[in-house]
Structures are given as C-alpha cells and as structure tokens.
Amino acid sequence: NVKDRWGGYPLKDAAVGGHTAVRDLLLQHGAKIDESDQLALAQQLCGMAAKGELEGVKGLIECRVSVNASLYDQRTALHLAAAEG
C-alpha cells in the first residue's frame, strides 16, 4: 500500500485502470484501498454507474469502495445505474 509521489498506489491504480488480474492478485495478498481515497473513488463509482461501465463498477466494489456513498444530490451508484446507466 505504498503511495507514489502523486498519491497513487498499486491497488488504486489497478482498480481505476481496469487491470482485473492485478487487482485480484493484490486483494489476495491483503492490499486495501486507503481510507482517504474512499470519497473520491465512491464518486468515480457513481460516474461509472451512470455511464453503465459495469466492469469498472465491479472492480471498485471488489476493492471495497463504499456503494453507499452519495454525490452532492444524495444519489448513490445504485440510483445512478437505475436512472441513467
């Protein structure tokens, strides 16, 4: 879970980049999403859900990004997927 100078770390980069095999391997070895990234990744989850990007949504959920986080208008990823995705 070591961060680079831009604040990135392997699990976050693999999850956001859609590298499922790398993500799965990191999760198997105990990698975790940093708590400070939960809000930003939850917002990204909502954006992916609104666009219907199923694989991206699955990847972030598997990394334990909060599915209950909401945007400024209180809509969650589920709301957005149902309404727009």
Side-chain angles (χ1 to χ4, degrees), residues 16-73:
V16 171
H19 306 290
T20 56
V22 174
R23 179 203 66 220
D24 293 346
L25 181 66
L26 290 168
L27 288 171
Q28 287 173 1
H29 290 279
K32 294 183 174 73
I33 292 292
D34 192 273
E35 199 60 37
S36 65
D37 289 320
Q38 278 289 339
L39 180 59
L41 290 173
Q43 289 173 337
Q44 189 162 1
L45 176 66
C46 287
M48 289 177 168
K51 294 176 192 167
E53 296 176 8
L54 184 58
E55 290 305 312
V57 168
K58 285 181 183 178
L60 289 177
I61 290 172
E62 288 178 14
C63 290
R64 296 173 198 86
V65 171
S66 175
V67 296
N68 297 316
S70 59
L71 298 175
Y72 65 91
D73 59 1

